[in-house]
Amino acid sequence: MPNNENEEVLLRVEHLCQYFKINKAVDDVSFDIKKGEVFGLVGESGCGKTTTGRSIIKLYNITSGNIYFKGKRIAAGTLSYKNNIEAAKEQFETDKELIKKSPKSEAEKKEELTKKKEELNKYIASQRAEIKAARADHKRQKFNTEIQMIFQDPIASLDPRMTVGQIIAEGLIIRGEKDKKKIEERVYEVLEMVGLVREHAGRYPHEFSGGQRQRIGVARAIIMNPELIIADEPVSALDVSIQAQVINLLDDLRHKMGLTVLFIAHDLSVVKYFSDRIGVMYFGKLVELATSDELFAHPLHPYTRSLLSAIPMPDPDYEKQRKRITYVPLRDHDYTKEQPTLREVAPGHFVHCNQEEFDRYQQELAR
Amino acid sequence: MEKILSVNNLVISFRTPAGKVQAVRDISFDLNKGETLAIVGESGSGKSVTSKAILGILAGNSIVESGSIVYDGMDLLRISEDQFYHVRGDKIAMIFQDPLSSLNPIMRIGKQLTEAMLLKGKARQKSCRKEFNDTLALLSDAMVEAEATNESAKAAELRQMCKNFDKFEFKHIELEHEYSVAYEAALEVHDEIKDVLFYIEKNAFDDEKYTIKEIIRLVDDSINDWVVSGEDAVTLKQLIADLKKVASAGIQKKEYTEIARILKSMDVILAAALDKPEPDFFSMGYYVTFAGKPLPDMGVEELNAYLRDYADENFINRFRECAAGALKYNAEKYNALKKEALKVVEAHKSVFEADKLDKKACLDAAEVMTKAIDASIDRLEIHKDSIAYTFGSTIKILIHSYFEGIGKNVVASKKHAKQSAKYEKLVAKGKQPSWKVAPSTAVDLDLVQQNIVDLIERLTNHYEEVLAGADKRSYENETNELIKFFKNNASGVVMKVTKSMAKYKALKLMEEVGIPDVRKRYRQYPFEFSGGMRQRIVIAIALAADPDILICDEPTTALDVTIQAQILELINKIKKDRNLSIIFITHDLGVVANMADRIAVMYAGKIVETGTCEDVFYSPAHPYTWALLSAMPDVDTNEKLEAIPGTPPNMIYPPVGDAFAERNKYALQIDFEMQPPMFKISDTHYAATWLLHPDAPKIELPKIITERIARMKSKGGAVNAE
């Protein structure tokens, strides 16, 4: 499934941070999504995967970091620049104390001080310019129809007082499409694409079953001809048999329309089945990132291992012998000496680790 | 295997504005003691409705059309709300899907855990007292009869014996209860002191005030005649006073040497106390009540022997002998009556096998049978004979539903004729009406009749089994069980549920379900818990009343993979520890593999396949099970998933034939015309599909499943080899 020839990066997330007051929901997450691939994001509830998705589509104003879509910056946070300014100011204060204490003459001291001050001002000005640019970029790309989202709960995400046709057409109308005939035709077209029929346009969401509602959600997303779809747990509220229908639908559409998908889910078997590359998140951090085959064959981070060991299998004999690995961060890592960062252990396989673990992981892979 | 719950021919429908939705259509299953039965199916297949019927919490618009749910000598579909009060939660508990919506957001966790215990405490006391008295009365009657004496003196003696038993049994429980409270306290404080000393040594002692207070309370509790007594008790009291004095100053100055010294000397006494053997309270209860002199002064083991001899000689041996005799007498008496009843049933059975039932004959026959069977129930048996107890009410209802059904069918066929005429007219005009014609029969009379015959057959088989096993019964064991039964009920009466006791029990439960820091958590609100922790609390609440059966309705669907695995492990552990029977409802077959002993696959209100876990996963027989298995990706799946096309049928107009036929690519012509019966594949494995009929074409399992099974087998082998 992975098409490696096409290396064009569609979405780049750099050092994304999303803080809610003191709660660091997403903390320094970076990844690329290439054109045409399915990027899976897994992790337990509350680890920040949904927040990442929503930050990309700008449902939140991100705290810090940059998001580039087709090379253009579509969202940017300012906290890092502000922090830089604070840090520089503090540095300046300490420098000042040092200069004052130094045994140089008064004139020399003054000269040095003014030099430092100038440097500081220049630096602050540059950072402020960055902030300004970030805000401008953030504002300019207010509506981006090329990224669309499919939500988890097909009941809650559809307005019960609008007909299916209205729900699907709403995006087009907001974009300024006035030709009723054209809208209608387009609605019928996408309805048929997702496996519903024209007649359904006049009905209300409550008349549909769960799987059909999720199809309506998909139809609403693809009517804008998006390049990237963010699917936030699109199947976890559905029954197993309906799940397969929706996954097959997404797979078909993806090949037909050349879609790129950011697939967020907690069901690892589904993610493995559907994704080309997978990122594993734990408490706001991206702890491991690899192609899906590589991740399942050689999980390196202890959290990934514990996740994989928890997958239920339809096999009684296997289940009876299954040993679940638990992940205890304090036991599994020793970060007193060196803080961990995201490092590339093997080509395309990133793990959140420090140097010592990095060496160990490489040895493990070599074996 | 002991059957604990059995569901027979259950039919449930819901009244809705659009028509009658047939949610459950004639399902039967048994639940054995200590086993997990998984019910698997899509939403709308009727699995939750079944579980709600067991718990008596069906929605208001539901109609239970027929069937019975038999548990502990009661038919749960027919008993009054007052009776259900003692079953729901106490005997059968439920865990719901969404832990947040099954907890009260504005009550602290502790209160929610203890609420039911406190509410039910009094009722439990009353019911235990009643049970105790009733059984004892039956026993004394049986004893008198068994000895077959006309002398009133001997009868009076026997009755006095039972009264004496009543008296000292309660004394015994009181003594034992006091002892166990003190012993538990000593055990807990022993551990606590060890921890505290460790922390003091490592300079990491915090939350001192609370800990010290707790230790003082526990040490105080542990003073009891049989745990810490005499001089030790005096010393301990002195130490407590010292500790109180030293503690506040020591904590302020952060100096713990004095505290550590006192704790150490406390621990020495407690450790010695914990090593002491447990006195025999049963004999002691008798001695204290009837000997009329103080306990002799000797060591515990010596004392035990002395007391046991005294009690055995004066009372117990005789009592046991009489009780065993009474049980034997009773069993023989009722077995004879059972034989009688069998004869009566055999004689009247033919009435129900006729082509057309006669109302009066049926009712008369049912009455005669019920009378004979009621007379043949041995009420002294602790394990109630559920089938016999509920026979009368069940057969009556079945007969009524048959004769009401005749009338209903007349109305339905008229309606059908009218509607179909209209339908044909419209079709002739070239229109396609959106509504469907209602079926011509409302009640399947043959099925009801079959159910009656089945019921009678079930009873006769059961009675024959009992009679055949009569020689193998050990009345000594039964006497022991009976005495244990008395003990349990007596302890239910003696142990008043106070707030502090409920709290103690709640904390224990929270520890059991794996919640850390219980004392802090006890005071928190549900929103302060994560999803997995909330589900643990819900499980703890369900376990609070020590139920026999636990119904888990999709307990992990709202949780993510790691937490799901933890909760499943927890449920498995609890099942083993408490010998619980579990009904596990889910739509995810992957979850079931680890949990279930047996699996029932439900579709459109019917059980389509049932078998052991291995049967269903390694040799599935019904196309719906195939479809479920192949629709589910696992980590090795690469090919396109085989989704099940379409949606489940509209249950207002259930299809005539196999309900799955429309979505089934293996469907035969007959699947659209006739409902398949349950075909037997092996002793444990049944499936309802025409494909199993000898005349059916042979169809291979879908490739995706055979491949997966092969892969699993090879993988399983690899695991085994390791």
Side-chain angles (χ1 to χ4, degrees), chain B residues 189-206:
Chain B
V189 79
H190 178 62
D191 288 345
E192 185 88 37
I193 287 175
K194 219 196 285 165
D195 286 354
V196 169
L197 289 176
F198 176 79
Y199 287 134
I200 288 177
E201 197 184 310
K202 297 269 172 201
N203 260 336
F205 190 32
D206 59 351

Side-chain angles (χ1 to χ4, degrees), chain B residues 408-417 437-443:
Chain B
K408 280 183 192 165
N409 279 357
V410 172
V411 176
S413 69
K414 271 183 193 158
K415 192 176 168 191
H416 173 77
V437 182
S440 59
T441 48
V443 177

Side-chain angles (χ1 to χ4, degrees), chain B residues 9 243 331 356 386 633 654:
Chain B
N9 308 107
L243 186 61
K356 215 170 168 221
S386 298

Side-chain angles (χ1 to χ4, degrees), chain A residues 108-296:
Chain A
E108 260 178 305
K109 275 185 191 175
K110 204 169 185 184
E111 194 186 330
E112 212 168 324
L113 213 59
T114 38
K115 215 172 109 197
K116 282 268 177 203
K117 182 106 187 172
E118 244 167 56
E119 263 175 36
L120 173 73
N121 283 342
K122 217 187 243 170
Y123 183 71
I124 289 178
S126 76
Q127 291 299 314
R128 288 212 170 123
E130 288 278 2
I131 291 179
K132 219 172 173 183
R135 285 198 176 134
D137 279 349
H138 197 83
K139 261 192 191 149
R140 192 178 324 120
Q141 300 273 338
K142 202 161 186 186
F143 298 115
N144 195 335
T145 55
E146 289 175 327
I147 308 178
Q148 291 290 335
M149 192 148 181
I150 301 168
F151 295 92
Q152 172 171 7
D153 189 342
I155 302 165
S157 61
L158 301 177
D159 188 336
R161 298 190 298 177
M162 284 163 88
T163 63
V164 169
Q166 286 168 335
I167 290 172
I168 296 174
E170 200 181 13
L172 274 182
I173 294 167
I174 291 171
R175 275 310 268 180
E177 183 62 65
K178 295 230 166 56
D179 188 347
K180 286 223 169 107
K181 193 106 194 171
K182 216 169 165 187
I183 292 175
E184 203 169 71
E185 263 171 33
R186 187 82 185 107
V187 168
Y188 290 156
E189 196 184 324
V190 291
L191 270 176
E192 272 157 22
M193 274 172 98
V194 298
L196 298 171
V197 289
R198 281 161 179 252
E199 285 77 47
H200 288 152
R203 295 199 199 161
Y204 287 90
H206 74 260
E207 296 173 57
F208 293 88
S209 67
Q212 284 175 319
R213 279 181 216 177
Q214 199 55 288
R215 284 168 193 268
I216 296 168
V218 174
R220 171 172 65 180
I222 61 171
I223 195 168
M224 303 305 295
N225 261 332
E227 297 245 340
L228 174 70
I229 281 193
I230 298 175
D232 185 5
E233 311 233 10
V235 294
S236 42
L238 304 175
D239 272 344
V240 176
S241 56
I242 311 292
Q243 238 180 44
Q245 289 178 7
V246 173
I247 293 173
N248 282 346
L249 169 71
L250 282 174
D251 208 28
D252 289 346
L253 285 177
R254 172 192 160 209
H255 289 298
K256 228 186 275 172
M257 302 176 61
L259 286 174
T260 310
V261 183
L262 172 60
F263 189 77
I264 300 170
H266 66 244
D267 187 340
L268 281 156
S269 342
V270 173
V271 174
K272 163 78 168 53
Y273 172 73
F274 193 47
S275 312
D276 302 323
R277 288 195 302 145
I278 298 176
V280 182
M281 283 187 76
Y282 181 72
F283 271 84
K285 298 238 192 268
L286 196 66
V287 295
E288 191 159 0
L289 172 71
T291 62
S292 60
D293 293 328
E294 169 76 8
L295 187 83
F296 275 73

Side-chain angles (χ1 to χ4, degrees), chain B residues 574-602:
Chain B
I574 289 167
K575 175 193 156 198
K576 225 177 267 162
D577 290 351
R578 298 181 167 230
N579 198 17
L580 271 177
S581 310
I582 296 181
I583 296 180
F584 194 91
I585 293 168
T586 180
H587 70 254
D588 189 351
L589 270 170
V591 169
V592 166
N594 188 16
M595 300 288 300
D597 300 312
R598 283 194 303 136
I599 299 177
V601 182
M602 268 186 92

Side-chain angles (χ1 to χ4, degrees), chain A residues 44-45 209 238-242 244-245 247-248 252 266-270 272-273 296 303 306-307 310-322 324, chain B residues 42-43 559-562 564-566 569 587 590 593-594 613-614 617-618 631-635 637-641 643-647 708 712 715 719-720:
Chain A
E44 61 189 33
S45 50
S209 67
L238 304 175
D239 272 344
V240 176
S241 56
I242 311 292
Q245 289 178 7
I247 293 173
N248 282 346
D252 289 346
H266 66 244
D267 187 340
L268 281 156
S269 342
V270 173
K272 163 78 168 53
Y273 172 73
F296 275 73
Y303 178 66
S306 84
L307 258 188
I311 306 175
M313 296 278 265
D315 180 357
D317 284 347
Y318 170 80
E319 281 292 328
K320 272 171 197 135
Q321 286 148 354
R322 178 155 68 97
R324 198 163 54 78
Chain B
E42 281 175 87
S43 46
L559 306 173
D560 58 53
V561 184
T562 26
Q564 166 173 296
Q566 287 170 17
E569 274 168 25
H587 70 254
N594 188 16
C613 200
E614 282 78 13
F617 279 104
Y618 294 140
M632 178 176 53
D634 68 12
V635 291
T637 314
N638 286 321
E639 58 268 44
K640 196 174 162 73
L641 290 177
I644 308 177
T647 47
R708 178 179 294 170
M712 288 191 301
K715 224 187 218 176
V719 175
N720 280 333

